Amino acid sequence: MESAPSRTAMFAAVSRGLFRLETASPWVLDDVLALVLVGPVWQQLRDQFDPLFPGPVRRESRAAVCTRSRYAEDRLAAGAFTQYVILGAGLDSFAWRRPDLLGSLTVFEVDHPASQAWKLERVRELGLPLSDSQVFVPADFEAGSVQDALGPAGFDWAQPAMFCWTGVGPYLTAQAIESGLRTIAAAAPGSEVVFSYRAEDCALDDVGTEFARIYTPIAASVGEPLQPGWPVSEIERLISRCGLKVMDHPARADLQQRYFAGRTDGLRPYTFETLVAARVI
């Protein structure tokens, strides 16, 4: 990670792109740029890792990766926010996919310097337009303060903001998660965060358990090891202790009803990474 882009960020983007290619519409998230941003190496990643996962695990894990982005963007669209902070942005394509929301927002993409530099190089190679509403903020969650990084980038702590912090928590220590939540709690009242964390092992369904068994050594092998999971009550206590109020903590069945109801293929997200929305009070 010190000198190369995040491999797990690439995995997530490949999942978003392949979900669109391999799943019948309507798609919970239509990310037409995911594979384009990864570049030709997406095929190598697919061919290398897809055979390791049974079909149901691939489908449900990809559905979950798309669901977490959709959930965050739905919370953003439903609120009155002037700033959108994507923590651990990776290869997120929000700024190009959602021009309907970008006009009234300043988007701060916060990510590890190496990953962000690689993404910006891909953006230049592809000729994707950059807007004054897009601000790229290099930061290392384990080594420094996100608050210190956001201030010089022009973030206004007095204005309401939505923070998207998904797909990152499972790789962070408890100390780093608490530090991040306390930073978010310093934002203006009414600000929100959509956060995802790894569920404790006893809460996983069969697909989530199988995913964890296969994926844990893969993540470790690329230098981004998974951290232990959290019980629901413990993560809610942490959120409250950091000065935030839990607004929504959907279970897998809730997400299935909101985003996959009426499908004839039985598709649903797995139980592995759990979403929670919290507000600054």
Side-chain angles (χ1 to χ4, degrees), residues 100-252:
D100 57 314
L101 296 178
L102 189 64
S104 59
L105 287 170
T106 300
V107 179
F108 298 86
E109 291 199 22
V110 185
D111 206 1
H112 189 282
S115 289
Q116 191 164 90
W118 187 87
K119 178 179 181 177
L120 285 170
E121 181 60 28
R122 286 293 300 147
V123 168
R124 284 190 289 269
E125 290 172 356
L126 294 166
L128 291 174
L130 291 174
S131 164
D132 291 340
S133 298
Q134 289 173 269
V135 181
F136 295 89
V137 186
D140 186 338
F141 296 113
E142 293 285 1
S145 165
V146 173
Q147 191 165 7
D148 290 343
L150 278 172
F155 181 79
D156 188 347
W157 292 93
Q159 295 297 317
M162 167 63 78
F163 293 81
C164 175
W165 200 14
T166 62
V168 182
Y171 305 95
L172 295 181
T173 61
Q175 181 180 1
I177 290 173
E178 180 166 354
S179 175
L181 290 173
R182 290 191 181 278
T183 293
I184 292 166
S191 295
E192 288 193 8
V193 59
V194 168
F195 171 65
S196 71
Y197 64 94
R198 180 179 176 180
E200 61 180 335
D201 288 346
C202 65
L204 304 183
D205 60 4
D206 290 345
V207 169
T209 299
E210 183 71 354
F211 175 84
R213 182 188 70 80
I214 299 168
Y215 184 67
T216 297
I218 294 174
S221 73
V222 298
E224 299 173 60
L226 289 165
Q227 300 297 313
W230 294 76
V232 168
S233 59
E234 188 175 338
I235 201 72
E236 288 196 348
R237 281 196 298 269
L238 174 63
I239 290 169
S240 178
R241 190 166 69 244
C242 290
L244 299 156
K245 180 182 180 181
V246 173
M247 303 302 295
D248 189 33
H249 203 163
R252 194 269 303 278

Side-chain angles (χ1 to χ4, degrees), residues 80-102:
F81 306 104
T82 59
Q83 303 173 105
Y84 186 39
V85 183
I86 309 175
L87 298 170
L91 294 172
D92 191 284
S93 62
F94 167 84
W96 295 282
R97 285 187 293 103
R98 298 299 305 270
D100 57 314
L101 296 178
L102 189 64

